[in-house]
Amino acid sequence: MKHGMGMKSLPSCLRKAEIKLFLAELDKLETVTEFHEDTWYVRSDYMTVYDKEDIRFTFKDGTEIQV
């Protein structure tokens, strides 16, 4: 079996396709316009307070936002 660029880039191509499918599904969803406490608890993991101007929320998928 020949090992070329195609073999090495296959996981990257699959990942890109997976992301495109995810974004297509995301586009179908309605915009969140109100806070739902249950959704927050299911998705959030923890909050880190570094100081009063640097508070970060980390979600279960690893996403971190600074507020």
Side-chain angles (χ1 to χ4, degrees), residues 3 5 12 15 17-18 20-21 27 29 32 36 41 45-47 60 62-64 67:
H3 297 298
M5 280 294 275
S12 177
R15 182 71 178 144
E18 185 179 61
K20 284 183 180 183
L21 286 172
D27 283 339
L29 298 176
V32 176
H36 295 280
Y41 288 122
D45 195 12
Y46 59 91
M47 176 178 74
K60 291 182 181 173
T63 304
E64 180 183 275
V67 294

Side-chain angles (χ1 to χ4, degrees), residues 9-24:
S9 63
L10 183 61
S12 177
C13 290
L14 289 176
R15 182 71 178 144
K16 286 179 184 177
E18 185 179 61
I19 291 169
K20 284 183 180 183
L21 286 172
F22 172 77
L23 291 174

Side-chain angles (χ1 to χ4, degrees), residues 40 47-57 59 64-67:
W40 176 258
M47 176 178 74
T48 306
V49 179
Y50 293 101
D51 62 45
K52 67 181 183 178
E53 295 179 11
D54 189 1
I55 301 170
R56 301 176 192 201
F57 291 93
F59 296 89
E64 180 183 275
I65 58 169
Q66 183 178 358
V67 294

Side-chain angles (χ1 to χ4, degrees), residues 25-39:
E25 289 298 315
L26 195 60
D27 283 339
K28 295 177 188 176
L29 298 176
E30 293 181 28
T31 302
V32 176
T33 58
E34 59 186 61
F35 180 79
H36 295 280
E37 189 173 343
D38 292 339
T39 302

